Amino acid sequence: MSMSNGALSKIQTRQVCYAVASFCLGAWAFYKVNTISGPFFEPIIAACQNPDFSVDDFAQKTGYHSYEPKLGLGAFNLLVCLITQFLLELRETHPAGILTWGGVIVVSLPLALFNSICAGRRGGKGPVRYPTAFGLLFQLFGISVMYPMLYNPSYIFSGVRFGVPATNFRIIAATILSLPGIILTFLVFYAPTESYLWTCAAGMLGGPILVMT
């Protein structure tokens, strides 16, 4: 029994070390992201939060692209406004913009599939069972920040084990639900930026709508 307790203690210690290391990596990523992108985002955030600018005259008064606040569902209007300007910058910075976002999509799709499947595995517990909540955090703070900072530690302590099956329905549904991100990405980089279609596609791609589908 003492050997079993010792082995269990080693496993728990290893889990704590992995979780702390992952959290620190996420914290470092948060610092670096804000250091690099902060100067770019600060004036946009100020404009998006300015009560003197209505949605109808936002573009005319600020020089930024118009956005669709309905896609923010009230609580995430700032995010939709901000991400619309960010995606416009990527669209207009060719080819670096599409390569950057393409890298994000290449990483995000398998992770989203993995998150959805792990949420349905028997024996799992804790935050890992709520992929939509994590999806919103990814949209708000970035997947490069929240995945190591919160998701990895949650997964480490979730009790999820390889070989424990998820249902076929969850696997198929998770695969199908990855398609909207691909379609919206295509629209953001190929639809005319002055169109309402592009505005909606940008707002959905970076806002709460995509992760709540």
Side-chain angles (χ1 to χ4, degrees), residues 1 8 14 22 46 49 71 78 106 108 113 120 169 171 180 203:
M1 180 65 70
L8 181 61
R14 194 160 51 210
S22 184
Q49 292 181 319
L71 300 175
L78 174 61
V106 167
S108 299
L113 182 62
F169 174 79
I171 295 172

Side-chain angles (χ1 to χ4, degrees), residues 168-189:
N168 288 333
F169 174 79
R170 180 176 288 272
I171 295 172
I172 294 172
T175 303
I176 293 174
L177 290 176
S178 66
L179 295 178
I182 299 174
I183 296 171
L184 290 172
T185 295
F186 176 82
L187 292 175
V188 163
F189 284 96

